[in-house]
Short mmCIF file of all heavy atoms in Angstrom, two decimals:
data_model
loop_
_atom_site.label_atom_id
_atom_site.label_comp_id
_atom_site.label_asym_id
_atom_site.label_seq_id
_atom_site.Cartn_x
_atom_site.Cartn_y
_atom_site.Cartn_z
N LEU A 325 51.26 183.51 83.79
CA LEU A 325 52.20 184.34 84.51
C LEU A 325 53.64 183.78 84.67
O LEU A 325 54.56 184.47 84.58
CB LEU A 325 51.62 184.59 85.99
CG LEU A 325 50.49 185.62 86.10
CD1 LEU A 325 49.86 185.53 87.52
CD2 LEU A 325 51.00 186.98 85.84
N LYS A 326 53.59 182.38 84.82
CA LYS A 326 54.91 181.78 84.84
C LYS A 326 55.67 181.92 83.57
O LYS A 326 56.85 182.18 83.56
CB LYS A 326 54.55 180.27 85.23
CG LYS A 326 55.84 179.63 85.75
CD LYS A 326 55.59 178.16 86.14
CE LYS A 326 56.88 177.48 86.47
NZ LYS A 326 56.85 176.07 86.28
N GLU A 327 54.97 181.70 82.44
CA GLU A 327 55.60 181.88 81.12
C GLU A 327 56.05 183.26 80.91
O GLU A 327 57.17 183.50 80.43
CB GLU A 327 54.60 181.45 80.04
CG GLU A 327 54.39 179.98 79.88
CD GLU A 327 53.19 179.61 79.09
OE1 GLU A 327 52.50 180.52 78.48
OE2 GLU A 327 52.88 178.42 78.98
N GLN A 328 55.29 184.24 81.37
CA GLN A 328 55.71 185.69 81.27
C GLN A 328 56.96 185.95 82.00
O GLN A 328 57.86 186.55 81.55
CB GLN A 328 54.52 186.49 81.83
CG GLN A 328 54.71 188.00 81.63
CD GLN A 328 53.65 188.79 82.41
OE1 GLN A 328 53.36 188.48 83.59
NE2 GLN A 328 53.00 189.70 81.74
N LYS A 329 57.11 185.35 83.25
CA LYS A 329 58.22 185.51 84.01
C LYS A 329 59.45 184.81 83.43
O LYS A 329 60.51 185.41 83.38
CB LYS A 329 57.94 184.90 85.41
CG LYS A 329 58.86 185.39 86.56
CD LYS A 329 58.46 184.80 87.90
CE LYS A 329 59.64 184.47 88.73
NZ LYS A 329 59.39 183.50 89.72
N ASP A 330 59.27 183.61 82.91
CA ASP A 330 60.30 182.85 82.31
C ASP A 330 60.88 183.63 81.06
O ASP A 330 62.04 183.61 80.85
CB ASP A 330 59.86 181.45 81.85
CG ASP A 330 59.53 180.62 83.08
OD1 ASP A 330 59.96 180.99 84.23
OD2 ASP A 330 58.93 179.53 82.89
N LYS A 331 59.93 184.28 80.38
CA LYS A 331 60.34 185.00 79.17
C LYS A 331 61.21 186.17 79.59
O LYS A 331 62.27 186.47 78.86
CB LYS A 331 59.08 185.47 78.44
CG LYS A 331 59.17 185.32 76.90
CD LYS A 331 57.99 185.96 76.25
CE LYS A 331 57.06 184.94 75.70
NZ LYS A 331 55.79 185.66 75.18
N LYS A 332 60.86 186.87 80.60
CA LYS A 332 61.60 188.04 81.07
C LYS A 332 63.01 187.66 81.50
O LYS A 332 63.91 188.45 81.39
CB LYS A 332 60.85 188.75 82.16
CG LYS A 332 59.80 189.71 81.62
CD LYS A 332 59.09 190.53 82.76
CE LYS A 332 57.85 191.12 82.32
NZ LYS A 332 56.91 191.47 83.42
N LEU A 333 63.09 186.47 82.13
CA LEU A 333 64.35 186.11 82.67
C LEU A 333 65.52 185.85 81.64
O LEU A 333 65.23 185.38 80.59
CB LEU A 333 64.22 184.80 83.56
CG LEU A 333 63.50 185.09 84.90
CD1 LEU A 333 63.26 183.77 85.62
CD2 LEU A 333 64.27 186.01 85.80
#
Side-chain angles (χ1 to χ4, degrees):
Chain A
L325 280 171
K326 199 177 172 206
E327 283 165 5
Q328 188 188 45
K329 200 177 142 201
D330 292 348
K331 222 186 252 173
K332 275 184 194 159
L333 286 175

